[in-house]
Amino acid sequence: MQEPDPRQRTKLLKLGTRQCRFIVSEDLRSAVCCGAPTPEGSSWCDWHRRLVYVPAQPVKVRREVLAS
């Protein structure tokens, strides 16, 4: 899997449907997003989804973590 092409980057307020909303700029006030195509139902392209998505843990594992 390749990192998205920087030429797809788009200002947050100019993003269209199914464009990655992962912010790649330092200045959040004038946020620039990745802009790469996203899968149906996702706010992020496959590349950035791997960085931000944490799968839900089973209830038993969460309880063990909280108890420790």
Side-chain angles (χ1 to χ4, degrees):
M1 181 179 303
Q2 288 185 310
E3 188 171 1
D5 187 341
R7 293 176 291 183
Q8 295 176 317
R9 293 181 178 176
T10 307
K11 290 191 176 197
L12 178 63
L13 297 177
K14 301 230 180 219
L15 283 173
T17 305
R18 299 191 60 197
Q19 280 188 284
C20 182
R21 283 155 168 67
F22 187 89
I23 297 174
V24 294
S25 62
E26 296 293 323
D27 183 9
L28 298 180
R29 289 177 292 192
S30 60
V32 174
C33 298
C34 167
T38 62
E40 185 72 35
S42 180
S43 296
W44 305 296
C45 64
D46 291 335
W47 177 268
H48 287 112
R49 187 172 190 274
R50 288 185 354 181
L51 297 177
V52 299
Y53 180 72
V54 178
Q57 297 293 317
V59 173
K60 181 181 178 187
V61 172
R62 287 190 301 228
R63 286 186 186 142
E64 291 171 358
V65 169
L66 292 174
S68 58

